[in-house]
Amino acid sequence: MKRVLVTGGAGFVGSHLCERLLGEGNEVICMDNFFTGKKRKILHLLDNPYFELIRHDVTMPYFIEVDEIYNLACPASPVHYQYNPIKTIKTSVMGAINMLGLAKRVKAKILQASTSEVYGDPTVHPQSEDYWGHVNPIGIRSCYDEGKRCAESLFINYRAQNNVRIKIIRIFNTYGPRMEPDDGRVVSNFIVQALQNRDITIFGDGRQTRSFQYVTDLLEGMVRMMATDDDFTGPVNIGNPGEFTMLELASTIMELTGSRSKLIFLPLPADDPMQRQPDITLARERLDGWYPVVPLTEGLTKTIAYFDDLLSGK
Ligand code: NAD
Ligand code: UDP
């Protein structure tokens, strides 16, 4: 039995990860400051004697004996990460320093949840790991993008200087049950709007693209990455190469929900990337043939069922 620390464990991805790790017979410590996380997401785990919940902010040091650390603490939706940009940078940078310091001290393996945002508004398409990205260092997304880029640098340098066993994954847009209705990201916004027959808010002309990955595919990639040999650090892209425009996403969600919503067009936020698609060749090679198996309509159907229950108070 391994003892595993999950920072950001009460968030959307973190709560699924805690559940999966417990299911595989690990002892799990979930650390969260509940900024975007909710106790509701992990309530069903609290009775498990191998699950512990710690209210703690990752910007402050924390000492605990663990074998593995998944560092997920950081708000992921633009609305939330732009709410207090300085705090977002501190979370990524000081959080990485604190967790890497812990990993060094207790000789734990540590995985960083990095992001496709390190590629910024990419001029290379699809994005492979050797692309350095196109990020505006002073734009409204920079608190998140540059925080995550600095965290990658910290991980690589803790490995080079201190031999810490590190893993970096670059996660592409991921969705699924346990997202919050007010999360602000596109999939949850469109589903909630469609279910309530409210206007669907398309930012810009809706022709920008994203590649959407269902959460269970991400978890599989994450867990496989953690299990790789120490010589493989990544970064490695974890995402679904299926690429869609926001107009296509809206129309699929309207069809699946039978919604009477209308589309409205709002200004495109500054620095919003025009296109994004992961090249997953490296993940396939290094993660035992890993690839995403849940198609968009199947994942959306499950996510719609979750939001339908949540909104109707079931
Ligand atoms: P989320 O907002 O649901 O979860 C983030 C969690 O971190 C929340 O529980 C929040 O309360 C916690 N947190 C935030 N700041 C903290 C702090 N200072 N100390 C302790 N806890 C803190 O987002 P998510 O979608 O579950 O994302 C999880 C991780 O994956 C994030 O690091 C995010 O950057 C990364 N990621 C997610 C996606 C995606 O599409 N979901 C894409 C790329 C990267
Ligand atoms: N978006 C949109 N309507 C919304 C929310 C987002 O059209 O209500 C767009 C947003 O401008 C972006 C895309 O959807 O082009 C994905 O946005 P999200 O915040 O989900 O992810 P990110 O931009 O961080 O990839």
Side-chain angles (χ1 to χ4, degrees):
M1 186 183 254
K2 278 179 297 201
R3 191 178 301 150
V4 187
L5 173 64
V6 179
T7 77
F12 157 54
V13 175
S15 64
H16 286 286
L17 180 63
C18 288
E19 190 177 306
R20 174 164 174 157
L21 294 171
L22 280 170
E24 288 174 354
N26 299 293
E27 199 173 329
V28 174
I29 296 127
C30 165
M31 178 204 288
D32 209 292
N33 72 346
F34 298 105
F35 173 47
T36 51
K38 294 275 179 306
K39 280 206 185 127
R40 171 165 36 79
K41 294 195 210 292
I42 44 161
L43 213 53
H44 61 297
L45 305 178
L46 290 176
D47 284 344
N48 188 324
Y50 297 107
F51 182 74
E52 282 169 63
L53 175 62
I54 302 162
R55 179 186 288 266
H56 182 79
D57 196 302
V58 81
T59 59
M60 309 292 283
Y62 194 83
F63 297 106
I64 189 170
E65 288 284 335
V66 286
D67 304 299
E68 290 178 354
I69 304 168
Y70 287 85
N71 189 34
L72 273 61
C74 185
S77 166
V79 186
H80 297 302
Y81 72 62
Q82 286 164 17
Y83 171 75
N84 184 344
I86 296 173
K87 178 67 194 233
T88 301
I89 299 171
K90 284 185 181 168
T91 295
S92 276
V93 176
M94 293 164 69
I97 292 171
N98 290 330
M99 289 305 114
L100 284 161
L102 173 63
K104 177 182 163 188
R105 182 159 165 168
V106 301
K107 299 192 169 25
K109 228 197 269 193
I110 178 166
L111 179 144
Q112 168 67 356
S114 189
T115 169
S116 54
E117 291 288 330
V118 300
Y119 302 123
D121 189 4
T123 53
V124 168
H125 195 74
Q127 296 78 52
S128 55
E129 292 81 356
D130 54 7
Y131 175 51
W132 292 354
H134 181 222
V135 172
N136 175 359
I138 55 169
I140 57 168
R141 298 174 81 97
S142 67
C143 58
Y144 184 73
D145 301 6
E146 297 290 17
K148 290 282 188 179
R149 286 167 68 98
C150 182
E152 285 200 10
S153 175
L154 284 163
F155 268 68
I156 290 295
N157 284 301
Y158 266 78
R159 150 95 179 186
Q161 232 174 296
N162 294 320
N163 220 16
V164 175
R165 296 186 294 154
I166 63 136
K167 308 278 172 197
I168 301 171
I169 58 167
R170 293 183 177 153
I171 304 170
F172 284 63
N173 298 61
T174 303
Y175 68 97
R178 298 211 193 115
M179 292 185 94
E180 289 300 305
D182 64 355
D183 177 89
R185 279 174 281 186
V186 70
V187 173
S188 47
N189 274 10
F190 285 3
I191 291 178
V192 170
Q193 290 160 348
L195 286 172
Q196 298 181 334
N197 294 306
R198 290 192 285 122
D199 291 344
I200 303 238
T201 52
I202 309 272
F203 298 168
D205 62 10
R207 280 187 293 199
Q208 70 272 37
T209 66
R210 293 292 186 274
S211 301
F212 297 104
Q213 160 173 251
Y214 190 65
V215 63
T216 50
D217 285 330
L218 166 60
L219 295 187
E220 187 59 37
M222 262 183 168
V223 169
R224 285 192 195 197
M225 180 62 176
M226 187 62 110
T228 53
D229 293 341
D230 285 352
D231 66 343
F232 184 58
T233 61
V236 61
N237 290 338
I238 304 287
N240 189 326
E243 184 184 4
F244 299 88
T245 66
M246 296 312 104
L247 288 173
E248 286 168 336
L249 178 70
S251 99
T252 306
I253 289 175
M254 286 183 49
E255 211 170 293
L256 291 172
T257 51
S259 175
R260 286 178 277 110
S261 295
K262 293 193 307 300
L263 303 186
I264 56 161
F265 292 85
L266 299 175
L268 188 69
D271 299 334
D272 200 285
M274 277 315 294
Q275 54 179 359
R276 189 180 286 155
Q277 188 194 45
D279 178 333
I280 57 166
T281 312
L282 183 65
R284 270 184 184 265
E285 275 171 20
R286 300 303 301 253
L287 306 182
D288 253 346
W290 171 89
Y291 68 97
V293 295
V294 182
L296 185 66
T297 45
E298 187 185 324
L300 286 177
T301 303
K302 289 183 177 154
T303 312
I304 290 166
Y306 153 79
F307 274 114
D308 205 11
D309 284 353
L310 189 75
L311 297 174
S312 58
K314 271 186 224 160

